[in-house]
Amino acid sequence: MIEISRALAYRFRAVLRRSLMNDNARAPLPIVHCRANDAGLTLEARHGEVAVRYQVDGAFPADTIAFHGVLLNEIEGRTDTPVVLEVTEPAKGQARWTERGV
């Protein structure tokens, strides 16, 4: 299980659009790889020969998860509300968050 904020999802998606998808803004976002461990939290994505990485220092429970970048559109927000990302079975997962009390 990895936890990120809705605001982080918003900022990371914006960076992906401006940097990786600049040539083709209508193309789907690439796969996002999240890795958490005692060294920090990392979000990474690449498109062609260009890659973007966001690093948060700190100690996090160790886990790794990858998801389609389009999920960022669903979970993003302007608040620090946490989003829990977890693998439920091989090649499947779920994202949980609270929005307007639901």
Side-chain angles (χ1 to χ4, degrees):
M1 174 176 67
I2 293 179
E3 188 175 290
I4 66 171
S5 73
R6 294 188 72 201
L8 173 57
Y10 175 81
R11 290 189 307 268
F12 194 67
R13 185 191 65 80
V15 168
L16 292 180
R17 284 276 183 220
R18 286 192 305 265
S19 58
L20 297 184
M21 310 311 292
N22 197 28
D23 293 340
N24 187 359
R26 295 195 184 274
L29 291 171
I31 299 292
V32 176
H33 298 270
C34 295
R35 184 177 59 250
N37 56 37
D38 59 356
L41 171 69
T42 304
L43 277 74
E44 299 175 307
R46 87 179 284 145
H47 181 71
E49 295 182 13
V50 179
V52 173
R53 176 184 291 164
Y54 181 86
Q55 176 77 36
V56 178
D57 292 332
F60 296 86
D63 205 351
T64 302
I65 191 168
F67 56 87
H68 291 280
V70 70
L71 177 64
L72 294 171
N73 296 337
E74 300 295 323
I75 66 175
E76 72 177 18
R78 304 261 182 182
T79 67
D80 286 327
T81 303
V83 177
V84 176
L85 305 169
E86 61 185 329
V87 175
T88 56
E89 57 186 83
K92 292 191 179 188
Q94 71 178 15
R96 291 180 282 123
W97 69 98
T98 301
E99 186 171 356
R100 297 184 189 127
V102 178

